[in-house]
Amino acid sequence: MRTLLLATLCLLPALAGAQTPLRPPRPAPPAGVGGGAPPRVDPRRPTTAAGEPINRATGLPAGPGEPAPSPGQPPSAGGAAQSFTPVKADSRCTPIQGRFLLSFSKADIVDILEQASRWTCRNFIYGEDVAKGKITLLSKSAVTADEAYAAFLAALTSNNIALYQSGRYWKLIRTGDAKKNPIPTYTSDGTETPANEQPMTRLIRLKHADADQVRGIMGNFISPQGADLQSIPPDLLIITDIGLNIRRIERLIETIDRAGSGEVVRLIQVRYAAAKDIADKVNQIFAQAGGAAGKGRLA
């Protein structure tokens, strides 16, 4: 009887547990809500309003794998983007192939610079005081990357902006300051002047005409902005201007620099009259003619 009573008492807790309904476990509250533990934030690292760390290179929320700044390193100012983008060592830029349309209406020069860099894979460097203004480039027919870049250079010239190469970069400068910078220089060694709207310096050696006289004539044909024309007697001209205008001046000089255009000295044997009398008469004629002929003299 005692054995049966003990067995019954041992079964009562098990039966009571079987009759009690099971409750599902309560889910853990999210972090920071309902007493949950708040996320750990490094005070040296910039975060978003939600407490997420910011990638110092992109300014966007960072992933969990980004390292925290070292002790003593100041945080990035407001998560601003850095001035470089890491690329693979073997990555190469390929200029755009084929043809495309241009549709820029009063676009900022900086924005078109970014596009021109993609067209031609050129790198640009500029100051904020130079790359100002807006440009309109429109084409109803498709153009190549070189044609688009040539149109862009022409638009820069209309904004008094010039380019010259410095290492792997093309630097933007004011057209008026071009002659003070290391722009391309071409001598009279058979090198053809490039047909573009970029400033350059050209040395022209005359064959027959006087350098000072040609300078006085060609001074009327140089560009009004940033161009310069110097003469070094007896036969050297130094021109700084855009390439297209220098080619125009070269064609004009070819027409002027002909035999007989400079001073010529000749000895004439007088047979019958006195040489002094003839010299006086001819010098009077030169003096009355004036102008260029007035420079002649008979001795």
Side-chain angles (χ1 to χ4, degrees):
M1 186 67 174
R2 181 178 298 178
T3 303
L4 180 60
L5 179 60
L6 291 175
T8 303
L9 292 175
C10 293
L11 291 173
L12 286 176
L15 293 174
Q19 294 176 359
T20 304
L22 298 177
R23 296 180 180 178
R26 297 178 60 186
V33 179
R40 299 180 60 183
V41 179
D42 191 340
R44 300 166 302 170
R45 192 175 188 179
T47 59
T48 63
E52 298 176 348
I54 293 178
N55 188 301
R56 292 184 298 273
T58 63
L60 300 176
E66 186 195 3
S70 58
Q73 178 181 356
S76 177
Q82 299 297 316
S83 58
F84 63 90
T85 302
V87 296
K88 296 181 180 180
D90 57 348
S91 62
R92 295 182 179 180
C93 177
T94 303
I96 294 180
Q97 304 296 325
R99 295 177 175 270
F100 52 92
L101 296 176
L102 296 177
S103 180
F104 298 97
S105 179
K106 298 180 180 180
D108 291 335
I109 291 178
V110 175
D111 294 337
I112 303 184
L113 273 174
E114 181 179 354
Q115 298 299 323
S117 181
R118 296 176 181 176
W119 300 337
T120 62
C121 292
R122 285 182 171 89
N123 303 318
F124 298 100
I125 183 172
Y126 56 88
E128 294 182 357
D129 58 333
V130 176
K132 290 183 178 179
K134 296 183 180 295
I135 289 177
T136 297
L137 293 177
L138 302 174
S139 63
K140 296 299 182 181
S141 58
V143 296
T144 63
D146 291 338
E147 292 170 343
Y149 185 69
F152 173 59
L153 294 182
L156 286 181
T157 301
S158 65
N159 281 266
N160 296 324
I161 298 176
L163 285 172
Y164 74 90
Q165 189 172 9
S166 177
R168 298 184 63 180
Y169 286 85
W170 292 81
K171 186 175 181 180
L172 274 70
I173 57 174
R174 290 292 179 189
T175 305
D177 299 330
K179 62 183 179 182
K180 301 178 182 178
N181 287 274
I183 58 178
T185 301
Y186 299 90
T187 60
S188 301
D189 56 357
T191 305
E192 187 176 4
T193 303
N196 57 38
E197 296 203 30
Q198 286 304 293
M200 59 195 67
T201 298
R202 181 77 188 186
L203 277 67
I204 299 178
R205 190 167 296 279
L206 304 173
K207 297 178 180 179
H208 306 283
D210 179 72
D212 288 335
Q213 292 182 357
V214 176
R215 176 179 177 271
I217 298 172
M218 293 297 106
N220 300 317
F221 298 96
I222 63 175
S223 301
Q225 182 67 27
D228 185 67
L229 176 59
Q230 299 292 332
S231 62
I232 301 179
D235 60 354
L236 185 61
L237 293 177
I238 302 177
I239 307 174
T240 300
D241 206 337
I242 62 174
L244 285 175
N245 204 43
I246 290 180
R247 290 170 68 98
R248 175 188 177 217
I249 292 175
E250 286 176 331
R251 290 194 297 268
L252 293 173
I253 291 178
E254 288 177 1
T255 304
I256 296 174
D257 189 21
R258 301 292 180 105
S261 58
E263 294 184 356
V264 178
V265 177
R266 290 188 179 181
L267 298 176
I268 301 176
Q269 183 70 37
V270 178
R271 292 186 178 183
Y272 306 105
K276 185 177 182 305
D277 294 339
I278 295 178
D280 292 339
K281 293 292 184 181
V282 174
N283 287 332
Q284 290 177 6
I285 295 174
F286 285 155
Q288 292 176 1
K295 296 183 179 180
R297 189 173 63 87
L298 187 63

